[in-house]
Amino acid sequence: MATHAALRANKPLVQCLTNVVSSNFMANVLLSAGASPAMVDNPEEAAQFARIAGAVLVNLGTPTAAQVESMRLAVASAHEAGRPWVLDPIGAGGLAWRGSVAAQLLEFKPAVIRGNASEIIGLAGLGSTSRGFDTSNDPAEAVPAAIELLSHASAVSASGPIDHVVGWVANGTDEPRPWLIKIAGGSAWLPRVTASGCSLGALVAAYTAVASDALTAVTAAHVHFALAAELAEATATGPGSFAAAFIDGLDAVDAFLITTKARFEAAPV
Amino acid sequence: MATHAALRANKPLVQCLTNVVSSNFMANVLLSAGASPAMVDNPEEAAQFARIAGAVLVNLGTPTAAQVESMRLAVASAHEAGRPWVLDPIGAGGLAWRGSVAAQLLEFKPAVIRGNASEIIGLAGLGSTSRGFDTSNDPAEAVPAAIELLSHASAVSASGPIDHVVGWVANGTDEPRPWLIKIAGGSAWLPRVTASGCSLGALVAAYTAVASDALTAVTAAHVHFALAAELAEATATGPGSFAAAFIDGLDAVDAFLITTKARFEAAPV
Amino acid sequence: MATHAALRANKPLVQCLTNVVSSNFMANVLLSAGASPAMVDNPEEAAQFARIAGAVLVNLGTPTAAQVESMRLAVASAHEAGRPWVLDPIGAGGLAWRGSVAAQLLEFKPAVIRGNASEIIGLAGLGSTSRGFDTSNDPAEAVPAAIELLSHASAVSASGPIDHVVGWVANGTDEPRPWLIKIAGGSAWLPRVTASGCSLGALVAAYTAVASDALTAVTAAHVHFALAAELAEATATGPGSFAAAFIDGLDAVDAFLITTKARFEAAPV
């Protein structure tokens, strides 16, 4: 709730290096939720811009050679400047080239890795037989893979009917240990709208720019997203009207809704 | 109707190499109709992906040198693997470079060529004086050009107020001969929504992945498209509300609507 | 009003070399308003197409090296053929590479430069400290910078809550002198929809293809845009429903609305 207020107050600038299918919808998701999108993804400017952005999103949906170079420059620059960045490894488990790209990017320590269950499993087991674009896995099945990926990132999210997020939690003087947060809600229409998952990754990036830690950022983003989808479902008559209503919903979600409607549970793994 | 049921049951994976204007809308059209879009169009992955896709769409709307290379790799791979692919030759009759690209792609035998009347005429008469982006021709005028193009493809579609589709039909032991199918319906709002024609091409590709033959695939796709547009027109108040309602309509079209509302006629040419 | 009638009668072909975020929305804005979009932006075809287009839009939102080469070719071709073109210098004041690109493009004399206040200030003072993506400046603050840019263009527009446009006006035998036109209206939802400003630039380009002079074109485009936004605001419940209703509104704006609702004032500077 405090994190949501921080998003609205700060309107963080989010640099998105993303696939062509998602760019318009993603920008509208960020604008409506309360952030400022900027899709600067050429090699000439990517590093310079990453230093002024509040956070960086890297989405591997439709990479080109030039965009991949920009991704490397942007995350190196973000890493150096201490800016959080988020990796959305679409297809990295199933297509050889982007698998190797993802492996290289992981060296620059994303704050968050976000994908659907199959993508998280695919990323953790690069070189395995996963198709990579498959969405048949349940998020709960991805938890071991997500925990494995915590060696690279502060939090890892596998989204689905019930989102499963793992991340490091420091409690007083104890060693940080991984927690699992399960977030319910959303709508069955969401996966019927292209780039909805990609846009969730961008919203996670926006929240990393204002949250106290990565796990809080992911949770706040997923809750915001799920509540907007529930608002939209109440009026939608199909995937097209749902998409427009969902954008309306991202704007409408407020502190009262979050307090009364958010559904999630957290526990140490 | 059986073809529509096959689409819904199989949710074919459609690889789209398409123009930037269309990618988001096209992906939503495919998702809403019941297929699975994947816009993999870089040279590093295009061939690999074409082997696992159910069908491939190639749309020449905004080609880049890298994308054209990907198109060649994807259709060669699809051709070799026996996967159907669809060519949408936007502007190929009017712009020299993409005309030569289209001519090269034709060697890999698309299952279907889909365009508006001027594009079909332009593609058949490469080197002629057609502007290529002109949409002033009536689909009926494109029938001779479409028949000519049957030396390259199993079916050719010229869409417009009444879509005209020609394709090879084998009847028992007779030599296959060309038939003409005319499909009525749709909405005057459709050409006011950008990428609607492009998205029809993608839906045709989706149907080629599940239909018994190319002509059946084209007919089923055009009927599905036209009925969705009629549903949308009933509630739309302009091109923006129409576009959202059309996406809803693609999801809503079912066997009952197809049986009771589809309007088309077929005859040997 | 006469300019609006000319747009509807001529449906000018507008070549857009624009950022990936904007391409779909921009094309729908042009189609709905009454123009014909074509996003031809590869180096192989950009110059050829600029000779048949009614006007050219160049938007620096997400430039790539290849697209920048296309921009140079297109505006050189347009300049030579006497076609008007419009420059939308997104980020040119804040990012070094695109600043130098913008400076080179200015040599080919755009009919109109259109941006938000910060972009106009940034473009006039290339090399200054402006962030370039900042939208905090008020359009009134941009007027001196806009007047300075009249050495490169016939009209310069800084859009915002009240759009401020300057341009050369020739009155009888007097030397042309700059006038300032202020256009009120629009909606607070507009900046919450991504690519709305970019699309205004495209609509300006469409109007330059049919208007008697650049200042008239800009004014007509801004009025058309503002009235469509007002229509949309009456039914919208958030940025998503606003975007769809705004596209409907661009189609609905007619001579009667313009005559009765347009709000602007003009005076010599």
Side-chain angles (χ1 to χ4, degrees), chain B residues 40-263:
Chain B
V40 179
D41 69 347
N42 60 60
E44 290 81 3
E45 301 174 329
Q48 181 186 356
F49 200 82
R51 282 191 291 273
I52 63 167
V56 178
L57 169 78
V58 169
N59 175 301
L60 293 179
T62 59
T64 62
Q67 199 193 35
V68 165
E69 189 191 340
S70 306
M71 289 170 175
R72 288 186 192 125
L73 292 165
V75 303
S77 177
H79 184 63
E80 195 188 303
R83 307 282 179 177
W85 70 278
V86 173
L87 177 65
D88 197 329
I90 301 187
L95 288 162
W97 180 58
R98 66 180 78 179
S100 71
V101 169
Q104 289 169 30
L105 293 176
L106 283 180
E107 293 175 21
F108 293 98
K109 299 285 173 196
V112 181
I113 301 169
R114 190 222 73 86
N116 64 37
S118 301
E119 289 160 356
I120 295 303
I121 294 169
L123 184 66
L126 273 176
S128 79
T129 57
S130 157
R131 262 180 66 195
F133 283 85
D134 193 342
T135 58
S136 55
N137 292 103
D138 190 87
E141 299 169 37
V143 170
I147 292 173
E148 200 178 314
L149 289 170
L150 284 180
S151 59
H152 298 289
S154 303
V156 179
S157 158
S159 56
I162 295 182
D163 304 321
H164 284 57
V165 185
V166 299
W168 296 109
V169 173
N171 220 331
T173 55
D174 298 348
E175 281 278 290
R177 58 173 300 183
W179 280 54
L180 168 65
I181 299 187
K182 298 180 193 173
I183 301 141
S187 163
W189 289 120
L190 260 186
R192 302 290 302 282
V193 176
T194 197
S196 55
C198 302
S199 298
L200 174 54
L203 189 59
V204 168
Y207 272 103
T208 61
V210 299
S212 54
D213 63 88
L215 192 56
T216 301
V218 182
T219 306
H222 281 64
V223 164
H224 191 161
F225 214 71
L227 293 176
E230 289 169 32
L231 287 176
E233 192 175 76
T235 61
T237 55
S241 50
F242 177 81
F246 176 64
I247 298 290
D248 284 1
L250 287 166
D251 174 67
V253 169
D254 58 15
F256 178 76
L257 256 182
I258 294 171
T259 309
T260 55
K261 301 280 191 188
R263 288 184 286 147

Side-chain angles (χ1 to χ4, degrees), chain A:
Chain A
M1 205 170 84
T3 313
H4 180 264
L7 184 82
R8 290 279 159 91
N10 292 306
K11 300 187 192 310
L13 183 60
V14 183
Q15 179 181 10
C16 303
L17 300 97
T18 189
N19 66 77
V20 291
V21 184
S22 69
S23 59
N24 183 274
F25 189 70
M26 181 181 285
N28 278 327
V29 163
L30 288 174
L31 274 174
S32 192
S36 290
M39 270 61 182
V40 179
D41 68 348
N42 61 61
E44 289 81 2
E45 302 174 330
Q48 182 186 355
F49 201 82
R51 281 190 292 273
I52 63 168
V56 178
L57 169 78
V58 170
N59 174 302
L60 292 178
T62 59
T64 62
Q67 198 193 34
V68 164
E69 189 191 340
S70 306
M71 289 171 175
R72 287 185 193 125
L73 292 165
V75 303
S77 178
H79 184 63
E80 195 188 304
R83 306 281 180 179
W85 70 278
V86 173
L87 177 64
D88 197 330
I90 300 186
L95 288 161
W97 180 59
R98 69 179 77 179
S100 72
V101 169
Q104 288 168 30
L105 294 174
L106 283 180
E107 294 174 22
F108 293 98
K109 299 285 172 195
V112 180
I113 301 169
R114 189 221 75 85
N116 63 37
S118 301
E119 290 161 357
I120 295 303
I121 293 169
L123 185 66
L126 273 175
S128 79
T129 57
S130 157
R131 263 180 68 195
F133 283 86
D134 193 342
T135 58
S136 54
N137 290 103
D138 189 87
E141 301 169 35
V143 170
I147 292 173
E148 200 178 315
L149 289 169
L150 285 180
S151 59
H152 298 290
S154 304
V156 179
S157 158
S159 56
I162 295 181
D163 303 322
H164 283 58
V165 184
V166 298
W168 295 109
V169 173
N171 220 332
T173 56
D174 298 348
E175 281 278 290
R177 57 174 297 182
W179 279 54
L180 169 64
I181 298 186
K182 299 180 193 175
I183 301 142
S187 162
W189 289 119
L190 260 185
R192 302 288 304 280
V193 176
T194 197
S196 56
C198 303
S199 299
L200 174 54
L203 190 58
V204 167
Y207 272 104
T208 61
V210 299
S212 54
D213 62 90
L215 192 57
T216 302
V218 183
T219 306
H222 281 64
V223 164
H224 191 162
F225 214 72
L227 293 176
E230 289 169 31
L231 287 175
E233 192 175 76
T235 62
T237 56
S241 51
F242 176 81
F246 175 65
I247 299 291
D248 284 1
L250 288 165
D251 174 66
V253 169
D254 58 15
F256 178 76
L257 257 183
I258 294 172
T259 310
T260 55
K261 300 281 190 184
R263 288 184 286 149
F264 64 92
E265 52 179 62
V269 180

Side-chain angles (χ1 to χ4, degrees), chain C residues 22-258:
Chain C
S22 69
S23 60
N24 183 274
F25 189 70
M26 181 181 286
N28 278 328
V29 162
L30 288 174
L31 274 174
S32 191
S36 291
M39 270 61 182
V40 180
D41 69 347
N42 60 61
E44 289 81 1
E45 303 175 329
Q48 181 187 355
F49 200 82
R51 283 190 291 273
I52 63 168
V56 177
L57 169 79
V58 169
N59 174 302
L60 293 179
T62 58
T64 63
Q67 199 193 34
V68 164
E69 189 191 340
S70 306
M71 290 171 175
R72 288 184 193 127
L73 292 164
V75 303
S77 177
H79 184 63
E80 196 188 302
R83 307 282 181 177
W85 71 278
V86 173
L87 177 65
D88 197 329
I90 300 186
L95 288 161
W97 181 58
R98 68 178 78 179
S100 71
V101 169
Q104 288 168 30
L105 294 174
L106 283 180
E107 293 175 23
F108 294 98
K109 299 284 172 197
V112 181
I113 300 169
R114 189 222 74 85
N116 63 38
S118 301
E119 289 160 356
I120 295 303
I121 293 169
L123 185 65
L126 273 175
S128 80
T129 57
S130 157
R131 263 180 66 195
F133 284 85
D134 193 342
T135 59
S136 55
N137 290 103
D138 189 86
E141 300 169 36
V143 170
I147 292 172
E148 199 179 316
L149 289 169
L150 284 180
S151 58
H152 299 290
S154 304
V156 178
S157 158
S159 56
I162 296 180
D163 304 321
H164 283 58
V165 184
V166 298
W168 295 109
V169 173
N171 220 332
T173 56
D174 298 347
E175 281 278 290
R177 58 173 298 185
W179 279 54
L180 169 65
I181 299 187
K182 298 180 193 175
I183 301 141
S187 162
W189 290 120
L190 260 185
R192 302 289 304 279
V193 176
T194 197
S196 56
C198 303
S199 299
L200 174 54
L203 190 59
V204 167
Y207 272 104
T208 62
V210 299
S212 54
D213 62 89
L215 192 56
T216 302
V218 182
T219 307
H222 281 65
V223 164
H224 191 160
F225 214 72
L227 293 176
E230 289 169 31
L231 288 175
E233 193 175 77
T235 62
T237 54
S241 51
F242 176 82
F246 175 65
I247 298 292
D248 284 2
L250 287 166
D251 174 66
V253 168
D254 59 14
F256 178 76
L257 257 182
I258 294 171

